[in-house]
Structure formats: structure tokens, C-alpha cells
Amino acid sequence: LSNMGNTCYLNASLQMLYTLKGFIPAIDGKGGGELVKSVVSTAQRVLDISKKPGLLNARPVKLAMDKISDKFRGFQQRDAHEFRGDLIDNIHEELVEGQKKLNADDMKSPTENERDETDQGVPELPIDEYFRCDIEVCLKCNTCGYTRYDIKKECETSLLIP
């Protein structure tokens, strides 16, 4: 992917996604919007470059992200980790909305096993499979001995571990 002027953060984020075996086919055709379609089409162009060498850029992905948020507009240097997090969240949002629309069009609701409590009846999506994990949190009072456990669903590509 060629640099369009300080877009290393964008290229690095996309290249990370493209190395995840099965991720692009998993989001393709799931009812996503402009961002999902641009990520998939750019990935397909990257894979086809071995047949026709040359430079290509991720302008469609940049334009789609710029429509969603002004956070990364322009061509200033940006943080790849922050962009990747927003990219993953926005892909997920598009897939959730797409699945809701598909469910409404099909006039069916997901079965109990397909429901994901965080997305109100939308079946588990590729972002859940590739990026979300459950983290068990334990809070214990050393004075009275009270202990509370909670499971939190996290969507991070890096976690701070003390």
C-alpha cells in the first residue's frame, strides 16, 4: 500500500487486518456499509497485486472513515493503535446494522443460541470472533474479605498486563 501522505497508520492497520486468516472473507457479504466494502475491496486488490505488480493505496478506506468521523481527517501523522481500534469498532457497527437490516428483511429473529447480549439479538460477528474476549475481573476487599467477580467483554488489540 502506498503512502498518501502520512497515512502509515492506515496502511499498518489494514495490513494487520489482512494477515488475519479468514477475516476478510468473514466480513465480506455480511451486510456491511461503505467502510466494510472498502476494506474488503482494498484487501482483494492487495491480494491481486501478486498477479499485476504495482502501487495501490487505501483511499477508499480513508474516505469511508472520514465520513464516519472527523477524528482522522486530513493527512497529519496519527496513532496506528488508535486508528485500528476505531476501524475495528466502525466495521463492527456496520456489520451490526447490516445484520439487523438482514434480519428485518428476512422477518426472522435469531435463535436463542445466536443472540449476543451486547448487540441486542444480532448473532456473533467476525469482530467478536477475532477481537473480543471475556476478561474475568475479581475485586476483593482485604479488610472484610468481600469478593466480587465480573466478566467484561473487551475489544482491544493490546492489553496492559501488570
Side-chain angles (χ1 to χ4, degrees):
L1 291 170
S2 65
N3 192 326
M4 300 177 294
N6 289 328
T7 57
C8 300
Y9 68 92
L10 169 67
N11 295 344
S13 298
L14 290 174
Q15 289 170 9
M16 186 279 297
L17 289 182
Y18 299 161
T19 62
L20 296 174
K21 188 175 182 163
F23 179 73
I24 296 302
I27 66 171
D28 190 15
K30 295 281 194 254
E34 184 177 347
L35 178 61
V36 171
K37 290 174 184 161
S38 67
V39 168
V40 170
S41 69
T42 302
Q44 290 166 341
R45 290 184 2 243
V46 166
L47 294 174
D48 288 344
I49 202 161
S50 61
K51 299 173 191 162
K52 294 186 239 173
L55 287 177
L56 60 99
N57 63 50
R59 185 172 305 279
V61 177
K62 172 103 174 82
L63 293 173
M65 282 292 285
D66 286 350
K67 285 181 183 177
I68 294 169
S69 168
D70 62 355
K71 195 173 181 181
F72 298 99
R73 281 202 185 124
F75 293 94
Q76 295 83 19
Q77 289 185 356
R78 306 290 185 178
D79 181 71
H81 181 266
E82 184 178 357
F83 178 80
R84 187 174 50 248
D86 281 18
L87 178 65
I88 290 166
D89 288 345
N90 288 317
I91 289 171
H92 184 70
E93 289 303 313
E94 281 193 5
L95 294 175
V96 167
E97 290 306 311
Q99 285 298 304
K100 286 179 181 177
K101 188 183 285 186
L102 288 173
N103 288 342
D105 290 346
D106 289 345
M107 299 297 275
K108 69 171 193 169
S109 61
T111 65
E112 199 61 40
N113 289 339
E114 294 174 319
R115 289 197 176 127
D116 177 61
E117 61 204 46
T118 62
D119 291 320
Q120 302 166 355
V122 173
E124 187 171 282
L125 295 168
I127 298 298
D128 299 311
E129 179 184 347
Y130 285 86
F131 295 103
R132 288 200 172 157
C133 64
D134 291 336
I135 296 180
E136 185 176 306
V137 179
C138 174
L139 178 65
K140 182 177 181 177
C141 176
N142 291 330
T143 305
C144 70
Y146 171 79
T147 303
R148 182 179 75 190
Y149 290 94
D150 193 13
I151 295 180
K152 299 188 180 281
K153 195 173 265 301
E154 293 290 333
C155 184
E156 266 301 322
T157 53
S158 66
L159 298 173
L160 296 174
I161 299 175

